[in-house]
Amino acid sequence: MGNSGEHRLKRHVRNILIISGVAAAVLAAGAWALASTGRTPGATRAALDATPQPDQPRTPDDRASRGGTRSPDPSASPAPSVSAGPSASPEPSQPTVTPTPTKAPDTPESAGSQNTLRAKAKKKKKRRSRVVRTGSCAASYYAHGQTTASGEPFDPDALTAAHRTLPMGTRVRVINKNNGRSVTVRINDRGPFVGGRCLDLSRAAMAKVGGTGSGVIPVRYEVLART
């Protein structure tokens, strides 16, 4: 009976060893399988995702859009466009208006003085020197001289004349009978001492009546009253 118990114990130990060996073999096989693939389940899934997929058939729109303008990168936002507001629009140039100077209203004093001046000017214009003596004769002219009988230097460009008897400073209106032109001269010299002539005009005075061409002209003279 002692031998049968020992035999049973040995058989149990042997079964345990066999089971242990089988289990070790199964574990070793699993470890070898994992080592041969070298991938974790997550890596296996990533590899499956990376497997090239068959090309999808392109539509005509895809082929047409290949030659078109590429759409901008959505990450690069375009710079906002600055639109000119109402203040940026050029304003129309306004025409320059020059203010018209306004005339100050006339005061009664200024209006009265202006009226007085106008009346005096009109009266002076209308007033004609009084004639005290008239006559007709021939008149000549001279352009050279030194000192006149009145003592003043002779000036051929001054409106002066010579007469034999009229007082110095007398004003005489001389009218050319040929053309009606007239000039008023001042007597400052004596002459002419030629028969038939009563006046010897300066060159400027003779030019006024248009007689320098002939030298001697028929005239009518008017002696004016002293003012």
Side-chain angles (χ1 to χ4, degrees):
M1 187 170 176
N3 291 330
S4 61
E6 183 180 357
H7 181 70
R8 190 180 299 117
L9 180 60
K10 287 181 180 180
R11 190 175 55 184
H12 283 299
V13 171
R14 185 177 57 185
N15 291 336
I16 292 171
L17 291 175
I18 292 172
I19 294 172
S20 298
V22 172
V26 171
L27 291 175
W32 179 83
L34 292 176
S36 62
T37 58
R39 299 173 182 171
T40 61
T44 304
R45 182 175 299 174
L48 291 175
D49 293 339
T51 302
Q53 300 294 328
D55 293 339
Q56 297 294 332
R58 291 191 178 92
T59 62
D61 293 340
D62 294 339
R63 288 194 297 269
S65 62
R66 181 178 300 176
T69 305
R70 294 184 179 179
S71 59
D73 186 2
S75 62
S77 59
S81 61
V82 180
S83 61
S87 59
S89 60
E91 297 182 358
S93 59
Q94 298 294 333
T96 303
V97 179
T98 304
T100 304
T102 57
K103 184 179 179 180
D106 294 335
T107 60
E109 293 80 2
S110 62
S113 60
Q114 290 179 3
N115 292 334
T116 303
L117 292 175
R118 291 194 190 99
K120 287 183 178 180
K122 188 179 293 185
K123 185 177 179 181
K124 185 177 180 181
K125 186 176 181 180
K126 287 184 177 180
R127 186 176 62 184
R128 191 178 179 88
S129 299
R130 184 168 58 92
V131 178
V132 296
R133 176 180 166 186
T134 63
S136 295
C137 65
S140 58
Y141 79 98
Y142 64 115
H144 302 285
Q146 294 181 353
T147 303
T148 62
S150 64
E152 62 185 62
F154 172 71
D155 184 2
D157 295 326
L159 299 179
T160 57
H163 192 274
R164 288 192 295 268
T165 59
L166 287 175
M168 296 294 178
T170 302
R171 294 185 306 116
V172 179
R173 183 182 298 116
V174 181
I175 302 99
N176 186 347
K177 290 184 177 182
N178 293 331
N179 55 23
R181 295 168 61 178
S182 64
V183 63
T184 301
V185 296
R186 180 175 57 88
I187 302 300
N188 71 339
D189 203 358
R190 294 303 177 201
F193 302 102
V194 178
R197 302 179 190 178
C198 64
L199 289 169
D200 207 3
L201 305 177
S202 67
R203 181 181 59 190
M206 183 61 86
K208 285 284 187 179
V209 294
T212 55
S214 59
V216 180
I217 57 173
V219 298
R220 180 172 59 88
Y221 65 88
E222 298 174 349
V223 179
L224 307 177
R226 291 176 178 270
T227 56

